[in-house]
Amino acid sequence: LITVVALEFFAGALADRYGRRLVLGSAAFAGGVTSLGCALAGDWRWLLGMRILGGVADAVTMPALLGLTAEISEGRQGVFFGVLRSAQGLSFIFGPAIGGALSLFSLRAPFLVDAALSLAACVLLVRLVPAEASHAGESHHWRQLRVLSDLFTDRRFYAFALFCGVNNVAFPVLAAFLP
């Protein structure tokens, strides 16, 4: 999670610059490869390295996925984001149980299943989502600085950041103390 938090802020800029499909597909592929690396790890150092690289892939995934969701929802963002967040919630509920059940067969099994699902998601993304125009050729360094400046001067950003913090930190912490 430390890797995700550190890199997620900048990962959105990658998706904006190089295209959401390319970034999301690359991150899904990297996630699959790192899960496969975890399954094949021979010692704890290899496993730790693969988990850190997997965190990098996860950090790149979410901003690109959110951008792609907004792009393909065609005016029905509430429904699309509702489905996305519901899927994430279900993964938090059922993921540990499924991973625990798979680990009864082998401690490597959860990583192998994750690798297969990640690589399948990468293939589906490439086949089903059309590529958008690449922005790689634009001279955009000053434009990106201006966008960041505009972001930090917009009061709505701070309200959104506060809501995200409360949603992702405070509620789970409070829930841990409730009987």
Side-chain angles (χ1 to χ4, degrees):
L1 280 177
I2 292 171
T3 311
V4 172
V5 171
L7 296 176
E8 210 166 53
F9 183 77
F10 300 101
L14 286 175
D16 288 343
R17 178 172 178 156
Y18 296 107
R20 290 164 192 82
R21 178 180 169 228
L22 175 65
V23 170
L24 187 56
S26 300
F29 181 78
V33 169
T34 59
S35 288
L36 188 59
C38 288
L40 300 174
D43 65 14
W44 69 269
R45 290 177 290 265
W46 182 258
L47 179 63
L48 179 63
M50 289 293 104
R51 294 294 289 161
I52 290 170
L53 291 175
V56 171
D58 286 346
V60 173
T61 299
M62 189 48 65
L65 181 59
L66 290 172
L68 184 63
T69 302
E71 187 177 301
I72 66 173
S73 60
E74 298 175 354
R76 300 174 307 181
Q77 288 88 355
V79 172
F80 276 73
F81 280 104
V83 169
L84 176 64
R85 293 297 293 175
S86 294
Q88 289 172 328
L90 289 172
S91 73
F92 289 137
I93 294 169
F94 294 111
I98 294 169
L102 288 170
S103 70
L104 294 174
F105 298 104
S106 166
L107 291 177
R108 299 174 192 276
F111 295 112
L112 291 171
V113 170
D114 183 61
L117 291 173
S118 295
L119 295 173
C122 181
V123 170
L124 287 174
L125 177 76
V126 169
R127 297 195 80 175
L128 299 176
V129 177
E132 67 268 27
S134 174
H135 305 291
E138 297 178 8
S139 173
H140 72 288
H141 296 292
W142 290 110
R143 189 186 82 210
Q144 282 186 334
L145 288 175
R146 193 173 341 103
V147 167
L148 279 176
S149 172
D150 292 345
L151 177 71
F152 286 114
T153 57
D154 187 347
R155 289 184 290 188
R156 293 175 298 177
F157 169 76
Y158 295 102
F160 180 74
L162 177 62
F163 174 76
C164 290
V166 169
N167 183 42
N168 293 313
V169 177
F171 289 147
V173 169
L174 290 174
F177 290 105
L178 296 176

